[in-house]
Amino acid sequence: MSLAAAAAVTAAVPGAIAAPSIEYSQLAPMLVVFGAAVVGVLVEAFAPRDLRRPLHLVVTFGALVAAFVWTCVIAASSTIFAHGSAGRSAAEGAVAVDRPTLFIQGTILVLAAVAVLLIADDSNDVSSFAGQAAAVPGSTEEREGLRRGLVHTEIYPLTLFAVGGMLLFPAANDLLTMFVALEVLSLPLYLLCGLARRRRLLSHEAAMKYFLLGSFSSAFFLFGIAMLYGFSGSVSLATIATTVSSGTGSDTLLYAGIALTGLGLLFKVGAVPFHAWKPDVYQGAPTPITALMASCTVVSAFGALLRVFYVAFGTLTWDWRPAMWTVAVLTMVIGAVIAITQTDVKRLLAYSSIAHAGFILTAVVSSSVDGLSSSLFYLSTYGLTTVGAFAVITLVRDKGGEADHLSRWAGLGKRSPVVAGIFALFLLSFAGIPLTSGFVGKFAVFQAAIAGGDLALVVVGVVSSAIAAFFYARVIVLMFFSDPVPDGPVVAVPSVFTGIAVGVGALSAVVLGVFPEPVLSLANHAATQLFVR
């Protein structure tokens, strides 16, 4: 019996549950990544230890490349976007397939592939991951694991599960699916943050803080979902928007739901006052995992934030804009000011990431096509530059591992002018200096904010950028105009993997600063019709 005939027979039976319609081809990028993660678990279970790493590399990179290619195929589909259609809803309306989502998913896959290059790098005997995570720091078991060169190859399937959740998070068209995606992307990251080979206790502290604070934010998000369900009788974003337009629900439940779901989403992007976890987690986590979180997680979280506030709360712009305006100002100012006081390179980049989240929020506040397109461009350029910056950090090493303290970077330009020059390029891009991708990104988001009538917000953004430029310049001066310390760090010779990651970041910072038009046009095209409802 054919599937169609079976479905007809089932539908004819009184009280029977109709089989859901699943558009597998439109969900294929996520299914490929999740499927590869499951294969990775099987590799851990059945493959010999010596073969696990090469098998994981083939599965992981193969899945990311295949998912990216399939995403491009869907984006070029003449069926999904026929007759000016904004896109389609798949899996019974639970997942949206539209151009902004596909742009975000493509960006996540590219950034994840570059981050996995750092995760896979174990050259020069400097693997970033512990040999035995369960061993007590400083114990005989830990020393034995280091001596034998053990590495947790489980990091590869965990990374794929996290990336799969990141792909689903901005595509979720109902809040329950979004919550599931949030947990799928978060749980592996909690584990990965605690697997650093060096400074184990700091890594464990980072994982515990991230887990506890992340659990609280997830609880708030789930409570917000309950409020919005009570308001509209549905968790669908489109239904919530329809109920808002009709004005038939309880305003108390509505605004409580907006506040609580917004809290959960703003926590993930690291916006003030929900940012306290970011510096500690970025500092304690293995640097490749920090690169993954600082790029892919931020892109995914902003994608979900944009979808919720543009689709479900799109008709309430004047209600939530003042609060988002305040959060953007606090995020830009506090991120830039506190970064000045940092003496740890990873903590400095963490506060820099907080400030950049504020810059992106200036475009989100505009609630327009220009705001969406500029946010997409900013996320793509910032993500590539961030991965490159953390890749450089993995190369600057001393006896205890990575030389994170800024004082150890003194005179680095004289020891290794190429590495110091590339890191300076990344810092200049973060600062928004002309002819870098950071300048084009900031210009785009500020232009969208001005078009939306938020000139005061742009003024705060420009002042915050000037403050941020100070601490970026301080690091550059330290590297090139200070004398090297006698027992200063060495710069490890980059492997092919790390070299590609640094090269991709540096190339994007220059090319997208001089010739941004292709990616800008792609972002504009993706944002033309906003999100599908």
Side-chain angles (χ1 to χ4, degrees), residues 54-424:
L55 288 174
H56 278 307
L57 291 180
V58 172
V59 171
T60 302
F61 284 113
L64 293 175
V65 171
F68 179 76
V69 171
W70 209 308
T71 301
C72 295
V73 171
I74 295 174
S77 171
S78 59
T79 303
I80 297 175
F81 303 104
H83 308 296
S85 171
R88 293 184 179 179
S89 295
E92 297 293 323
V95 179
V97 181
D98 50 34
R99 289 193 173 97
T101 300
L102 293 171
F103 185 97
I104 291 168
Q105 289 178 334
T107 301
I108 291 170
L109 289 167
V110 171
L111 295 175
V114 180
V116 169
L117 290 173
L118 298 180
I119 293 172
D121 188 0
D122 63 351
S123 62
N124 301 310
D125 193 29
V126 290
S127 175
S128 300
F129 298 93
Q132 292 179 295
V136 176
S139 64
T140 303
E141 291 81 2
E142 182 187 43
R143 289 192 294 271
E144 178 65 17
L146 291 173
R147 186 187 66 80
R148 294 170 57 190
L150 299 179
V151 175
H152 272 291
T153 49
E154 296 94 331
I155 55 178
Y156 298 102
L158 286 173
T159 299
L160 284 176
F161 277 120
V163 172
M166 294 172 193
L167 296 177
L168 180 58
F169 196 36
N173 213 24
D174 69 60
L175 292 173
L176 199 56
T177 303
M178 190 172 287
F179 175 75
V180 172
L182 173 63
E183 295 306 296
V184 171
L185 78 88
S186 297
L187 291 175
L189 292 178
Y190 299 151
L191 295 174
L192 291 169
C193 286
L195 294 180
R197 178 179 289 266
R198 311 294 181 186
R199 299 194 293 181
R200 294 281 309 285
L201 289 177
L202 189 64
S203 178
H204 290 177
E205 178 187 351
M208 183 58 67
K209 285 182 177 178
Y210 193 24
F211 169 68
L212 292 176
L213 294 176
S215 299
F216 276 117
S217 72
S218 296
F220 281 118
F221 185 76
L222 189 58
F223 196 26
I225 294 174
M227 293 291 181
L228 293 172
Y229 181 80
F231 166 75
S232 65
S234 173
V235 293
S236 168
L237 298 181
T239 304
I240 294 171
T242 301
T243 308
V244 169
S245 299
S246 66
T248 56
S250 167
D251 288 345
T252 302
L253 292 176
L254 172 62
Y255 292 118
I258 293 174
L260 292 170
T261 53
L263 187 155
L265 294 170
L266 290 171
F267 174 88
K268 274 301 174 185
V269 304
V272 176
F274 316 110
H275 67 291
W277 64 275
K278 221 171 192 181
D280 293 335
V281 173
Y282 279 26
Q283 180 185 19
T287 302
I289 301 304
T290 304
L292 179 72
M293 291 191 296
S295 55
C296 298
T297 304
V298 170
V299 173
S300 179
F302 263 110
L305 179 73
L306 287 163
R307 176 174 294 282
V308 169
F309 280 86
Y310 278 39
V311 176
F313 312 136
T315 57
L316 294 172
T317 303
W318 290 104
D319 295 277
W320 58 259
R321 277 183 74 180
M324 195 69 74
W325 198 97
T326 304
V327 170
V329 169
L330 290 174
T331 304
M332 289 187 289
V333 173
I334 292 178
V337 170
I338 298 184
I340 296 175
T341 66
Q342 301 305 306
T343 57
D344 184 279
V345 179
K346 291 171 72 174
R347 290 184 71 88
L348 185 148
L349 291 184
Y351 279 105
S352 169
S353 173
I354 293 169
H356 282 282
F359 298 141
I360 301 172
L361 285 175
T362 62
V364 175
V365 169
S366 67
S367 187
S368 64
V369 171
D370 289 339
L372 178 57
S373 64
S374 60
S375 298
L376 296 178
F377 178 81
Y378 199 113
L379 289 168
S380 61
T381 57
Y382 171 74
L384 289 169
T385 306
T386 298
V387 175
F390 282 107
V392 172
I393 291 176
T394 64
L395 298 176
V396 183
R397 312 188 65 82
D398 55 24
K399 294 180 180 179
E402 294 163 0
D404 291 338
H405 200 279
L406 273 177
S407 63
R408 307 291 292 167
W409 289 60
L412 186 67
K414 300 175 182 178
R415 292 178 179 270
S416 181
V418 174
V419 171
I422 293 174
F423 194 68

